[in-house]
Amino acid sequence: KKKWALYGKLAEKKAKEDNDYYAYFELGRQYLAGKKLDLAKEALLRSKELNKEFWGSWFNLGGIALIQGDLTGAVNYLEESKKLNPNKVDIYVNLGVVFAKKKEFEKAINYFVSSLNLDSKRADIFKNMALCYQEMGDNLRAGLAFKKFKELSE
């Protein structure tokens, strides 16, 4: 806790002094790691205001929205992040998770497939796909995806 308090104060001071998008981004990530979602969102929104072209702020705002259950907000932030960095696998994974939570399983699977096109060795993606296929009643595909998940997890 003491270490967090020290780092937090230093990061806050740096962000305010520099008024730099990346300093606010780092502050937001630090708050996020400490599960201080409202403070993280505030810092990341400031980062985004200072540099609308930096995908990382959009991505982390999407993650916060997802955690907070704001699925529409999550899609909006993540889609903007994807425009700025179309080759970042985690953007597609998170979009897949959002659509799975919305029970739009076909759309979720499409995002998971897109993420596999960028990184075919991610076990978590196959697990997410298996869960979607299971929800859709496609036990064959669910089994195949789960088998791949287990292979990659070993």
Side-chain angles (χ1 to χ4, degrees):
K1 284 227 176 212
K2 285 184 178 183
K3 193 175 183 181
W4 162 253
L6 176 64
Y7 288 144
K9 285 186 188 342
L10 288 172
E12 286 170 359
K13 184 178 180 199
K14 179 170 177 36
K16 286 177 184 158
E17 284 177 1
D18 295 354
N19 199 32
D20 174 66
Y21 82 94
Y22 202 79
Y24 277 102
F25 170 73
E26 286 296 324
L27 177 61
R29 286 181 33 114
Q30 195 163 353
Y31 283 140
L32 190 54
K35 298 185 181 5
K36 297 180 178 187
L37 298 182
D38 291 334
L39 290 172
K41 185 174 181 179
E42 186 180 311
L44 290 164
L45 285 169
R46 182 69 183 131
S47 173
K48 180 179 72 70
E49 286 172 20
L50 292 169
N51 183 352
K52 290 179 179 17
E53 301 299 311
F54 180 58
W55 73 273
S57 299
W58 293 95
F59 175 75
N60 283 281
L61 285 164
I64 291 169
L66 177 58
I67 291 167
Q68 293 180 326
D70 175 12
L71 302 181
T72 301
V75 169
N76 292 337
Y77 286 128
L78 291 168
E79 284 291 346
E80 191 60 36
S81 181
K82 184 175 73 156
K83 286 181 202 168
L84 298 169
N85 190 353
N87 294 317
K88 184 68 175 166
V89 68
D90 289 326
I91 297 169
Y92 297 90
V93 172
N94 282 7
L95 281 163
V97 170
V98 170
F99 285 104
K101 285 186 173 282
K102 291 175 86 167
K103 305 230 181 281
E104 295 180 35
F105 299 113
E106 288 284 343
K107 218 172 198 178
I109 288 169
N110 288 336
Y111 278 110
F112 294 139
V113 168
S114 294
S115 62
L116 287 172
N117 288 333
L118 297 169
D119 184 352
S120 62
K121 301 292 185 206
R122 291 264 307 258
D124 61 319
I125 300 168
F126 285 100
K127 181 180 178 184
N128 287 330
M129 287 179 75
L131 295 172
C132 287
Y133 283 127
Q134 189 174 33
E135 286 291 325
M136 295 167 62
D138 189 339
N139 292 327
L140 177 62
R141 285 194 173 115
L144 291 170
F146 193 70
K147 180 180 178 192
K148 188 68 174 174
F149 160 72
K150 285 174 65 174
E151 283 174 21
L152 292 171
S153 296
E154 293 175 350

